[in-house]
């Protein structure tokens, strides 16, 4: 089967499965509920004992005969949900802009704002642009343009614009050359401060490049950010994350759990004193 035929078969399988699923509920509103176990107290552990009924299977990621793709499939279904690093870049000569989604992405520090994004496999345009210009823009992904975001992952040739194919719009940045994704409610202008090459222990070849990015300027949609510019409204942001396979997830439900101070808990909670004093 040719690559084109395989792609057609994959789309056909998706369309068949998708046809029987319920419609996306655009009316679903952000809701804060109680925690899983509101009466939980120190020492209670898990809220379910189901974990006791099952043995653990051990897996060596580098065992002979185990293909790397199995590790990929396993990890993207286990480390969930993951934020989407929707990154826009520009070529050194400024003639081409690129935009692509990455699920190996995370915020790692806030002073200064620091992010990591890992590029594996192809996507040479993104790698070349980051290496040559040391600039990029991270664009937070929301429900209203997730289909367009996903489409920018298409394997198009360098001369074809993902922006045009997806129908996305560019907006000027302030401190870097790459454009913002105008549809995004929160954009982060970044500069590359370090690059780490990850090598395969099997072959020694570089299989991923990890870019450390410093956030140097923010853009927030006025109706989504609070008055002191310190928080975004989840009900309006409607963020989307990645889970296993080709699946995405929405953030429509949440619950709050406070962080505890040991001295206060030891003084006020008999359960804490009982646990500590028994040791």
């Amino acid at each position: 089967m040719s690559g084109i035929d395989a792609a057609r078969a994959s789309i056909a399988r998706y369309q068949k499965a998708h046809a029987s699923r319920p419609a996306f509920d655009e009316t679903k509103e952000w809701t804060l509920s109680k925690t899983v176990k509101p009466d939980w107290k120190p020492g209670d552990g898990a809220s379910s004992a189901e974990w006791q009924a099952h043995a653990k299977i051990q897996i060596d990621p580098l065992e002979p005969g185990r293909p790397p793709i199995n590790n990929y499939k396993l990890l993207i279904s286990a480390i969930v949900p993951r934020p989407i690093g929707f990154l826009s870049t520009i070529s050194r000569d400024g003639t081409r802009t690129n935009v692509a989604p990455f699920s190996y992405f995370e915020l790692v520090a806030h002073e200064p704002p620091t992010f990591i994004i890992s590029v594996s496999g192809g996507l040479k345009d993104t790698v070349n642009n980051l290496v040559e210009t040391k600039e990029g823009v991270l664009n937070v992904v929301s429900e209203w343009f997730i289909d367009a975001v996903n489409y920018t992952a298409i394997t198009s040739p360098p001369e074809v614009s993902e922006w045009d194919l997806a129908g996305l719009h560019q907006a000027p940045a302030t401190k870097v050359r790459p454009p913002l994704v105008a549809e995004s409610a929160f954009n982060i202008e970044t500069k590359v401060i370090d690059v780490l090459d990850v090598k395969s222990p099997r072959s020694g070849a570089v299989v991923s490049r990890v870019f450390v990015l410093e956030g140097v300027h923010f853009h927030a949609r006025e109706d989504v950010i609070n008055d002191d510019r310190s928080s975004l409204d989840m009900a309006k942001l409607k963020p989307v994350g990645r889970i296993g396979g080709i699946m995405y997830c929405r953030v429509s439900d949440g619950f709050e759990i406070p962080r505890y101070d040991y001295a206060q808990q030891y003084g006020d909670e008999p359960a804490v004193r009982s646990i500590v004093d028994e040791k």
Side-chain angles (χ1 to χ4, degrees):
M1 182 182 291
S2 69
I4 292 177
D5 287 339
R8 287 171 177 155
S10 177
I11 293 296
R13 288 193 299 271
Y14 162 77
Q15 291 174 336
K16 182 178 180 180
H18 198 254
S20 62
R21 294 170 182 163
F24 186 89
D25 185 1
E26 294 189 73
T27 66
K28 189 173 180 60
E29 296 183 353
W30 165 255
T31 303
L32 275 176
S33 70
K34 296 178 180 178
T35 61
V36 178
K37 189 178 180 184
D39 60 347
W40 187 95
K41 62 182 183 301
D44 277 357
S47 60
S48 167
E50 177 71 14
W51 61 273
Q52 296 177 342
H54 304 281
K56 293 286 184 68
I57 297 173
Q58 297 192 42
I59 303 168
D60 180 348
L62 298 178
E63 67 185 8
R66 181 176 175 83
I69 189 64
N70 283 16
N71 292 332
Y72 169 75
K73 291 179 178 179
L74 177 64
L75 292 173
I76 67 169
S77 67
I79 311 303
V80 294
R82 298 184 308 283
I84 302 169
F86 194 37
L87 182 69
S88 46
T89 59
I90 193 169
S91 60
R92 179 168 51 186
D93 61 10
T95 59
R96 291 196 306 272
T97 57
N98 178 266
V99 65
F102 299 88
S103 66
Y104 290 168
F105 159 70
E106 191 56 85
L107 165 70
V108 295
H110 63 276
E111 181 62 27
T114 307
F115 310 83
I116 56 171
I117 194 162
S118 176
V119 184
S120 305
L123 299 165
K124 292 181 180 179
D125 290 340
T126 297
V127 171
N128 290 341
N129 291 348
L130 285 175
V131 169
E132 293 176 356
T133 70
K134 300 189 182 304
E135 294 181 341
V137 177
L138 292 166
N139 308 276
V140 170
V141 176
S142 298
E143 293 176 9
W144 58 83
F145 67 110
I146 182 57
D147 291 288
V149 170
N150 179 75
Y151 204 77
T152 64
I154 192 171
T155 53
S156 56
E159 66 273 12
V160 176
S161 169
E162 299 91 353
W163 298 85
D164 294 340
L165 290 175
L168 292 171
H169 299 84
Q170 301 182 12
T174 301
K175 297 180 180 178
V176 300
R177 293 170 63 216
L180 318 179
V181 173
E183 287 80 355
S184 175
F186 191 69
N187 317 84
I188 306 161
E189 299 183 27
T190 70
K191 294 190 176 184
V192 177
I193 57 176
D194 203 358
V195 184
L196 170 66
D197 285 340
V198 179
K199 297 182 179 180
S200 166
R202 308 174 201 252
S203 66
V206 173
V207 292
S208 299
R209 304 202 80 179
V210 178
F211 293 87
V212 182
L213 308 172
E214 180 181 337
V216 297
H217 205 71
F218 304 145
H219 300 255
R221 210 174 76 182
E222 60 184 3
D223 64 316
V224 176
I225 197 166
N226 64 354
D227 290 340
D228 68 358
R229 303 186 299 173
S230 65
S231 182
L232 300 185
D233 184 342
M234 290 299 104
K236 294 179 179 178
L237 183 63
K238 299 182 181 296
V240 175
R242 282 298 308 272
I243 47 181
I246 61 172
M247 291 185 288
Y248 293 84
C249 63
R250 67 197 305 188
V251 181
S252 54
D253 298 277
F255 51 86
E256 296 177 319
I257 304 178
R259 295 291 182 91
Y260 296 102
D261 176 78
Y262 176 76
Q264 177 270 319
Q265 286 287 290
Y266 184 84
D268 297 349
E269 288 287 341
V272 173
R273 292 196 299 274
S274 176
I275 294 169
V276 174
D277 294 345
E278 283 181 3
K279 298 296 183 180

